[in-house]
Amino acid sequence: DDDEETVRTPWRKSILGDAVLYCSSDDFEEEINNFKRNNAHIFAQYAESKHSDDMEHKLECTEAFNEYQNLIESLLEDFTASKGSTVKEFYAECRSSIEGGFTALFEDHEHKWFVDALLSWLDYSHFFEDMVRASRMSHK
């Protein structure tokens, strides 16, 4: 497949490395923090409960998660386009790093932590816990 060959070419600059820098930038973090601030109220009842894990989640929580995923996707699309790449190429590079395309053992890949963080951003339970924390912080 030509796309995979492009991603694995050793002399091609890594979009994954650039993404690490972008996702730790003030601009990216401001977008994420604004989302959390603007949506923390949805999670207030869970933040106030000592047993939020046992509570049924409102539909609003799922809708907020979908908006969050769309925000992440949009930010990554804008970022990759600014680098002359695509989200598809970015995800292919992430997949290649997981499958050992860049190293013999994935644990040795320098951006493993970032791919793990990216996957956690797209996980509902991680999102829910993060938003409950944000809601608690907004009430302090």
Side-chain angles (χ1 to χ4, degrees):
D1 181 80
D2 289 337
D3 288 340
E4 285 187 34
E5 190 61 39
T6 302
V7 170
R8 294 174 192 227
T9 304
W11 56 86
R12 181 179 180 275
K13 189 168 178 3
S14 168
I15 190 74
L16 190 54
D18 288 341
V20 169
L21 296 175
Y22 170 68
C23 291
S24 52
S25 71
D26 290 341
D27 290 343
F28 181 86
E29 289 183 12
E30 183 178 344
E31 291 283 345
I32 300 301
N33 289 334
N34 285 340
F35 177 89
K36 289 177 183 178
R37 239 185 329 278
N38 294 335
N39 291 279
H41 67 279
I42 296 169
F43 299 83
Q45 77 183 67
Y46 308 103
E48 295 165 3
S49 172
K50 293 187 188 301
H51 306 289
S52 63
D53 293 342
D54 300 332
M55 297 173 69
E56 186 172 325
H57 298 180
K58 299 183 291 186
L59 180 59
E60 280 181 297
C61 296
T62 303
E63 291 169 348
F65 177 61
N66 292 336
E67 288 177 36
Y68 182 73
Q69 286 183 306
N70 290 337
L71 172 63
I72 298 281
E73 187 78 15
S74 175
L75 291 170
L76 289 175
E77 283 175 1
D78 292 347
F79 162 73
T80 55
S82 76
K83 296 295 181 183
S85 189
T86 65
V87 171
K88 182 180 176 182
E89 289 174 336
F90 169 69
Y91 288 145
E93 195 167 315
C94 288
R95 185 173 42 258
S96 184
S97 71
I98 290 170
E99 295 170 353
F102 294 118
T103 59
L105 297 172
F106 180 64
E107 288 73 33
D108 294 335
H109 191 275
E110 65 180 316
H111 300 306
K112 178 189 184 314
W113 66 271
F114 176 72
V115 175
D116 289 343
L118 179 64
L119 292 173
S120 73
W121 294 338
L122 305 175
D123 176 70
Y124 177 80
S125 53
H126 180 268
F127 167 80
F128 180 81
E129 291 169 17
D130 210 23
M131 290 304 295
V132 168
R133 265 192 307 277
S135 183
R136 286 184 181 129
M137 297 299 286
S138 71
H139 288 91
K140 284 188 175 186

